[in-house]
Amino acid sequence: MVSASVVRGTAVTAALMSLLAVPAHAAPLEPGTTRAGAPAPDVTGLWNDLRAAQRSGAPGAMARLEDRDTVHWAAVGVADRKTGRALSNSDRFRIGSITKVFSAVVLLQLAEEKKLTLDAPVDRYLPGLLLDKSITVRHVLSHRSGLYDYTNDMFARTVPGFEAVRKKVFTYRQLVNRSLAKPRTTKPGGAYSYSNTNFVVAGMLIEKLTGHPVATEYRDRIIEPLMLTDTFYVHPGTKIPGRYARGYLTPDTAGAALVDATEQTASWAQSAGAVISSTRDLNTFLSALLGGRLTSRTQLAQMQRWVPAGTTQAYGLGLRRRDLSCGVSVYGHTGAVQGYYSYAFASKDGKRSLAAVATASNNGTLHNTMLRTLESAFCGKPSKKARPAATPVERHDDIAPDNKLSFDE
């Protein structure tokens, strides 16, 4: 039996329901106490974070927090601005760069099967693709290849850039060629420099080494074994299967109307960002990964060989570590794709996980508001000493890092 709370309505309701969400066969925790040495989650704070995201411009926002045998979920706003249908945690959405974790898992499994060597040059498997034999698979998966991110130019103007590619179908090589036409950002093995190009190359590696589309490998290695019934890779299809939340793109011009960006090929992203999922499935996926159910301990340790990626972040192989104000570190990825901004992170042992999404993108205030969901989920109730007065604006990690309204996680 799993105890769960549904949080929707007023903040008072949220506070009440959070008290009702207790582990099966366990007594309610007193406010501020912890379980297994970790701060108790602040479910009311999580609710308030979602409400703040809605005030910041998202038509809807939702989160699912799983803490061992306790499940909390919350949703605010609408899934569809035209119909007014309320947002629900059963709604599917585009997860953007959280897809990168899927791609990395497949490659690490292939490494375990001796079909891939992480420190081998990409050229061994994709001869002539990158014209530089010093770029290794590890460099690609850790964003240290120096390959320019082609989305910088593609989405330099947010809405026109999106509309130009909304229905297009690209080959992997076409996307890589866009990158190769630009100077390198660093020498191979140099400092972390986020680039979607790296995980386009990852997709090419998966398909070359297996002889199957990435959709097949995601399905056979991750989706079906974990019974992720809300998770799909439909590229180049444009529709989200079943019940879903519509996503809205914020134009660069202040005050301009939101653009419904739900239907698109997502071909500009593919193995770097085209998966569709739900909050439930994302929690299941990350908990399984960090709990050692998808890779061997050896490969999971490779995934967690960190390089600096900002003041409070580090990056491994397709996996991001965020260091929170309370001293807790969480592991997962962010995802920004037109219309959606999402977080999927878990504790190191995978026993507490959070998946959260706001149904808008290209909004810096909104993105940093959603960042606070991690603090509420993993650090508990805030203290004056524990948290800064204001969260610094950060760039996101999927779309146009050079765009003034885009931010990198």
Side-chain angles (χ1 to χ4, degrees), residues 96-110:
S97 275
I98 300 170
T99 300
K100 291 178 172 65
V101 190
F102 285 72
S103 297
V105 166
V106 173
L107 286 176
L108 288 167
Q109 290 180 353
L110 290 171

Side-chain angles (χ1 to χ4, degrees), residues 29-41 67 352 378-380:
L29 290 171
E30 292 298 322
T33 60
T34 64
R35 183 183 300 116
D67 186 17
R352 184 184 299 184
F378 295 96
C379 286

Side-chain angles (χ1 to χ4, degrees), residues 359-408:
T359 58
S361 64
N362 197 43
N363 178 329
T365 301
L366 170 62
H367 294 176
N368 284 283
T369 298
M370 290 300 291
L371 173 60
R372 296 204 298 266
T373 62
L374 295 179
E375 294 282 339
S376 295
F378 295 96
C379 286
K381 294 185 181 298
S383 67
K384 291 182 180 179
K385 292 183 179 180
R387 301 196 194 176
T391 302
V393 171
E394 303 181 23
R395 300 186 328 162
H396 81 68
D397 63 10
D398 290 43
I399 306 172
D402 291 339
N403 187 307
K404 60 184 173 60
L405 290 180
S406 296
F407 305 87
D408 186 13

Side-chain angles (χ1 to χ4, degrees), residues 183-205:
R184 301 285 179 81
T185 58
T186 184
K187 293 182 179 179
Y192 165 91
S193 180
Y194 193 93
S195 174
N196 285 285
T197 309
N198 289 311
F199 278 79
V200 171
V201 174
M204 297 180 77
L205 286 167

Side-chain angles (χ1 to χ4, degrees), residues 98 101-102 105 222 226 228 280-290 294:
I98 300 170
V101 190
F102 285 72
V105 166
I222 301 171
L226 296 180
L228 305 182
R280 181 192 62 188
D281 277 9
L282 289 178
N283 280 343
T284 299
F285 170 55
L286 275 181
S287 293
L289 172 61
L290 293 166
L294 288 174

